[in-house]
Amino acid sequence: MDMWKFFDITHRDHILCNPMSVEKLDQLIALLNLKPGARALDIATGKGEFLVRLAERHPQMTGVGVDFSPYCIAGVKKKLQDRVPEAQLHFLEMDGAKYVPETPESFDLAACIGASWIFGGHQGTLAALRKMAAPDAWIVAGEPYWRQEPEKEYLEAIGMTRNDLGTHCQNAEAGRELGLEAVYTLVSSQDDWDRYEGLQWYAAETWASAHPDDPDVETVLKRVRDSKAAYLRWGRETLGWAIYVFRNSKIQ
């Protein structure tokens, strides 16, 4: 089935499309002290909550959000009109890997929270964001990490290898050779993870009940139920997630 339809169904009750709490996101936004007129970029913006909240706090900023999902882009444009209609935010429906700013190294904040696969992994994401970030800019990336060594059966269940992810320490240090210094991390708790996963189970089951004749019902339920089983058996103790805040430091 269409991956964006699946994502829209399973994340319809989420405020954030990742396992981070809204309270922690607000902590992050408070830390990102943007100057008037600052420019922000959010690759794989999802529902656009990060940029919209930034604009609510910094009304003079400008921003660009990029996402491949037509469902997300349609939803975020409505959210923009409802909450910050005067904000200078622009949302583009396109592949984030193909986005090229008019001026390189021009954003005061460059983010990709939870979609490092776009750039081939965490370090590739940091390298791509750095090329779009101004000197002394904030670079923000969300990335999973192994809390403990994953069991073979778990890796097979989720279609990953051990080397696909690093540890929390490795994620935090990944930017150092690029000239990026990790200055803060926001780590998801098990409660954050349970909310993120559980809302997907809830959304899939309620959607399936409301749309019994949809041709994708069986696919949606199988994917979500298989994912639920893997999470409860292995993932809850094995997989972590964090937002990493880096500074594109002028001092090397």
Side-chain angles (χ1 to χ4, degrees):
M1 66 176 292
D2 176 64
M3 65 179 294
W4 303 122
K5 176 183 176 182
F6 178 81
F7 189 85
D8 182 61
I9 291 169
T10 55
H11 288 74
R12 60 181 50 202
D13 295 312
H14 291 71
I15 297 174
L16 307 176
C17 297
N18 58 64
M20 185 58 65
S21 70
V22 170
E23 293 77 14
K24 290 175 184 174
L25 181 69
D26 286 337
Q27 291 175 25
L28 169 62
I29 290 171
L31 288 172
L32 301 174
N33 188 22
L34 299 179
K35 297 178 181 179
R39 301 182 70 233
L41 170 68
D42 189 20
I43 299 290
T45 193
K47 295 187 176 185
E49 192 68 24
F50 181 45
L51 278 181
V52 169
R53 286 179 182 248
L54 277 172
E56 287 173 335
R57 187 178 180 92
H58 302 283
Q60 295 181 343
M61 67 167 279
T62 62
V64 177
V66 181
D67 203 281
F68 220 163
S69 169
Y71 299 95
C72 284
I73 293 298
V76 77
K77 287 182 176 178
K78 182 180 185 305
K79 178 184 292 185
L80 185 64
Q81 289 301 310
D82 290 343
R83 288 171 54 182
V84 280
E86 302 301 321
Q88 296 300 305
L89 301 181
H90 302 280
F91 292 92
L92 307 175
E93 182 186 331
M94 64 178 293
D95 183 350
K98 296 181 179 178
Y99 174 76
V100 179
E102 294 181 2
T103 306
E105 300 182 356
S106 59
F107 286 99
D108 302 291
L109 185 159
C112 180
I113 302 176
S116 66
W117 53 269
I118 293 174
F119 299 108
H122 181 54
Q123 191 159 39
T125 297
L126 297 180
L129 295 177
R130 186 178 183 276
K131 292 178 181 178
M132 295 182 273
D136 212 32
W138 301 107
I139 292 179
V140 179
E143 182 72 1
Y145 64 89
W146 298 125
R147 296 180 61 203
Q148 62 183 23
E149 284 298 311
E151 295 187 27
K152 179 181 177 181
E153 293 82 1
Y154 178 49
L155 292 173
E156 291 175 351
I158 61 176
M160 295 182 68
T161 70
R162 168 62 180 83
N163 293 332
D164 286 340
L165 300 177
T167 64
H168 181 50
C169 178
Q170 288 169 335
N171 283 353
E173 294 182 345
R176 187 160 291 166
E177 64 184 65
L178 300 171
L180 305 177
E181 187 65 27
V183 297
Y184 199 72
T185 65
L186 296 97
V187 179
S188 294
S189 66
Q190 282 194 329
D191 181 61
D192 296 333
W193 263 113
D194 287 345
R195 183 185 306 110
Y196 175 68
E197 295 288 336
L199 283 177
Q200 294 182 62
W201 315 337
Y202 175 83
E205 298 291 343
T206 54
W207 174 83
S209 295
H211 301 83
D213 298 324
D214 191 289
D216 293 320
V217 164
E218 289 187 12
T219 299
V220 169
L221 291 179
K222 184 178 188 309
R223 284 188 190 178
V224 170
R225 289 170 181 175
D226 286 350
S227 176
K228 174 172 61 177
Y231 175 73
L232 292 173
R233 184 171 182 181
W234 301 291
R236 192 171 188 269
E237 308 300 327
T238 303
L239 195 62
W241 203 85
I243 294 178
Y244 300 88
V245 183
F246 299 88
R247 201 72 189 253
N248 190 17
S249 179
K250 298 176 182 177
I251 303 174
Q252 303 299 325

